[in-house]
Amino acid sequence: MPDVVTRFAPSPTGHLHIGGARTAIFCWLLARHFDGRFYLRIEDTDLLRSKQEYTDAILASMRWLGLDWDGPPVFQSRRAALYNGLVDRLLTSGRAYWCGCTPEEVEAMRELARRNGAKPRYNGKCRDRCLGPGQGRCVRLKIPLTGKIVFDDMVKGRIAVDAGELDDMVIRRADGMPTYNLAVVADDNDMGVTHVIRGDDHVSNTPRQILIYQALGLPVPRFGHVPMILGHDRQKLSKRHGARSVIEYQRDGLLPQALVSYLARLGWSRGDQELFSPEELVRYFDGSNLNPAAAAFDPAKLEWTNARFMRSMPLAELARCVAPFVREAGFGCVPEERLVGLCVLFRERATDLRALAQSFRPLLVPAAELAINEKDAARHLTETGKSHLRALEAVFSSCAPFDAAAVNEALNSYVADNSLTFKQVAPPLRTALMGFMGGSHLNDIMAFLGREETLSRLRRAASFA
Ligand code: GLU
């Protein structure tokens, strides 16, 4: 058995959001760092709210993020026999008992406790009644009456809870369904999970789960409860804070490695390094340095992270990543080497793949379809500007070879020979080539367009009315 086995256990009641994604990233990293196993468990026992489409979407998001899991996903809805087997074992060993109290009776016990200033709890009425199975009866775990449940949380440090604070919890409901805590313990044990990393909304379940392990005589895994990700105002994260689901980030043109790096940094650190490739994360993430304080989600930082990844990744890879967005933008199937050329020109300026693809537009439409910005035209396509374009048309038609260096030289000579400044010539030329005052180096743009397309653009702009 590997030393480290982790699992990610989403409930398929919605898409994978960034909080869940970050938990999955931590689980995956820990397993990969220690050469262990990373499993996926779909917690689909809520039959009303669980949907196949969400399971599919979660798996697709995991794949896109590069979080590969070992073996087939495990579905809780198919494992009732395992759960019931454990409940029966607890009944046989006397660590659990049948309870015949009605929900109204239990509510009354809770109310009484509340009125007495105590925690609302079941009062153990059936604990020693030795009831057998029967209509409307649930099964409860016999919780020790004294002592402490102590565990060393990987994130929060030592946590100790008095057993006396807990009541005899239900492990199989009256309808025969095992409860959540029982199922999680049964699965984590069955899957050989050694490290349970999850959101700290589950931290109050952990002492209860530990008691189930102990009652069954099973080894207790290590736990790590990561704090929630908050919005900039320290409130619960929502769309309002700019947070979206993983699938939306994918659609909007984020790079998966950028999202993984950003989310990993949100709750974990290594010195002051901000950007991590997936390989670096696997190398450095060993479960230490997890921050117990809740981190705030910052969309601008995520955008910055993505831009940095776009700038530093191999061009061929960037070209492959942007290709679907180029198709989506309606530019058709642009050959990879053209895409590489476009990425060179524009990647410094875009913060996501969709914006990058959009920035290609002026260079991918034919001269006749290039939209010319009216304001820029009014300012730069003046009679003087147009006369420069006509002159440059002649200059560039005899420029050979038509590459960035030669075009640059020809342009510089034109400026020098006519005692002009670059500032007089560049704006009309840029407006002619791009349709607006944006883009990259003029010589690179022209080299990308090629001679014919460059000349057509100059001609068209020179006669722009
Ligand atoms: N299904 C639970 C959730 O989505 C995860 C519980 C766990 O990781 O133990 O919050």
Side-chain angles (χ1 to χ4, degrees):
M1 274 301 270
D3 291 341
V4 172
V5 178
T6 64
R7 68 1 179 230
F8 177 54
S11 308
T13 52
H15 287 284
L16 182 61
H17 278 267
I18 56 175
R22 189 191 54 169
T23 302
I25 290 167
F26 287 161
C27 296
W28 178 79
L29 286 175
L30 193 72
R32 294 295 173 250
H33 176 84
F34 287 105
D35 240 341
R37 290 265 179 281
F38 170 62
Y39 294 125
L40 198 53
R41 181 169 76 229
I42 305 298
E43 303 208 321
D44 55 349
T45 46
D46 183 340
L47 297 176
L48 286 177
R49 291 172 58 226
S50 297
K51 293 212 168 79
Q52 183 62 40
E53 66 183 90
Y54 290 134
T55 298
D56 295 342
I58 292 168
L59 298 194
S61 295
M62 299 274 294
R63 276 192 208 99
W64 178 71
L65 288 170
L67 308 179
D68 56 328
W69 57 92
D70 297 303
V74 166
F75 290 84
Q76 279 194 327
S77 59
R78 303 178 194 164
R79 290 159 71 85
L82 171 74
Y83 310 143
N84 282 323
L86 289 189
V87 174
D88 291 343
R89 216 166 107 184
L90 289 166
L91 281 167
T92 311
S93 64
R95 304 300 295 260
Y97 59 90
W98 289 98
C99 168
C101 296
T102 63
E104 294 72 30
E105 281 175 288
V106 175
E107 190 40 48
M109 293 170 199
R110 294 216 168 105
E111 186 50 41
L112 186 65
R114 250 182 242 125
R115 260 188 275 132
N116 293 337
K119 269 199 169 169
R121 63 209 310 275
Y122 173 69
N123 69 8
K125 179 177 167 196
C126 296
R127 195 173 160 108
D128 298 314
R129 284 174 74 195
C130 299
L131 294 176
Q135 181 74 15
R137 290 188 181 168
C138 65
V139 177
R140 288 181 184 273
L141 188 75
K142 246 185 212 171
I143 298 268
L145 298 173
T146 54
K148 277 188 188 306
I149 303 125
V150 182
F151 62 102
D152 285 311
D153 193 275
M154 292 164 66
V155 185
K156 295 177 181 291
R158 176 154 292 205
I159 296 182
V161 176
D162 283 323
E165 300 230 331
L166 307 173
D167 59 2
D168 286 350
M169 68 180 127
V170 176
I171 52 175
R172 179 158 66 205
R173 289 196 293 262
D175 63 6
M177 289 295 288
T179 56
Y180 169 73
N181 281 321
L182 187 278
V184 168
V185 169
D187 284 330
D188 283 338
N189 175 67
D190 184 67
M191 295 160 83
V193 171
T194 59
H195 292 72
V196 172
I197 300 177
R198 57 187 169 200
D200 70 359
D201 47 336
H202 287 284
V203 73
S204 62
N205 284 325
T206 303
R208 297 175 184 280
Q209 293 178 11
I210 291 175
L211 288 173
I212 301 178
Y213 282 104
Q214 289 172 344
L216 287 161
L218 299 173
V220 180
R222 280 212 74 183
F223 294 95
H225 292 91
V226 288
M228 301 283 100
I229 301 176
L230 302 176
H232 56 82
D233 51 5
R234 313 296 297 171
Q235 301 296 310
K236 192 172 181 302
L237 189 62
S238 69
K239 277 211 180 288
R240 178 169 68 83
H241 300 104
R244 274 164 285 166
S245 66
V246 170
I247 255 181
E248 288 171 297
Y249 283 118
Q250 179 181 9
R251 278 190 207 129
D252 287 354
L254 238 68
L255 289 165
Q257 59 271 43
L259 189 55
V260 167
S261 173
Y262 175 75
L263 290 179
R265 271 294 280 109
L266 212 55
W268 172 82
S269 58
R270 182 177 189 267
D272 49 16
Q273 186 170 340
E274 290 285 2
L275 306 172
F276 294 85
S277 67
E279 296 74 26
E280 283 176 306
L281 287 173
V282 168
R283 195 172 332 130
Y284 301 138
F285 186 95
D286 61 4
S288 59
N289 295 326
L290 286 162
N291 193 343
F297 175 71
D298 178 357
K301 180 97 181 277
L302 175 57
E303 191 178 284
W304 173 84
T305 303
N306 198 57
R308 293 291 300 268
F309 271 87
M310 282 179 33
R311 262 167 238 182
S312 60
M313 71 199 283
L315 275 163
E317 197 186 324
L318 181 59
R320 271 195 298 280
C321 292
V322 79
F325 293 91
V326 168
R327 279 195 296 277
E328 183 193 278
F331 306 141
C333 190
V334 181
E336 186 171 318
E337 62 176 84
R338 300 276 293 163
L339 285 182
V340 167
L342 288 163
C343 289
V344 173
L345 291 176
F346 296 108
R347 74 159 156 183
E348 297 291 328
R349 292 166 178 79
T351 54
D352 61 63
L353 296 167
R354 171 170 288 163
L356 180 63
Q358 286 298 341
S359 70
F360 298 167
R361 178 182 296 277
L363 300 197
L364 288 177
V365 294
E369 285 170 31
L370 180 71
I372 297 189
N373 177 283
E374 280 187 21
K375 269 200 191 133
D376 289 334
R379 277 189 69 190
H380 305 302
L381 299 183
T382 56
E383 279 320 309
T384 323
K386 287 176 179 174
S387 71
H388 289 316
L389 296 180
R390 277 188 283 271
L392 285 170
E393 193 193 325
V395 168
F396 292 136
S397 42
S398 59
C399 174
F402 197 83
D403 61 19
V407 167
N408 201 32
E409 206 181 307
L411 183 58
N412 284 338
S413 309
Y414 172 77
V415 170
D417 295 350
N418 295 285
S419 309
L420 297 163
T421 64
F422 205 67
K423 275 205 177 129
Q424 291 171 284
V425 180
L429 181 55
R430 186 173 290 286
T431 307
L433 294 169
M434 293 289 296
F436 74 112
M437 286 297 288
S440 188
H441 297 296
L442 289 169
N443 58 329
D444 290 334
I445 294 174
M446 289 188 275
F448 178 85
L449 288 170
R451 190 197 311 271
E452 285 320 308
E453 187 60 33
T454 298
L455 298 181
S456 311
R457 287 177 189 225
L458 298 195
R459 269 195 297 276
R460 180 164 173 250
S463 55
F464 187 78

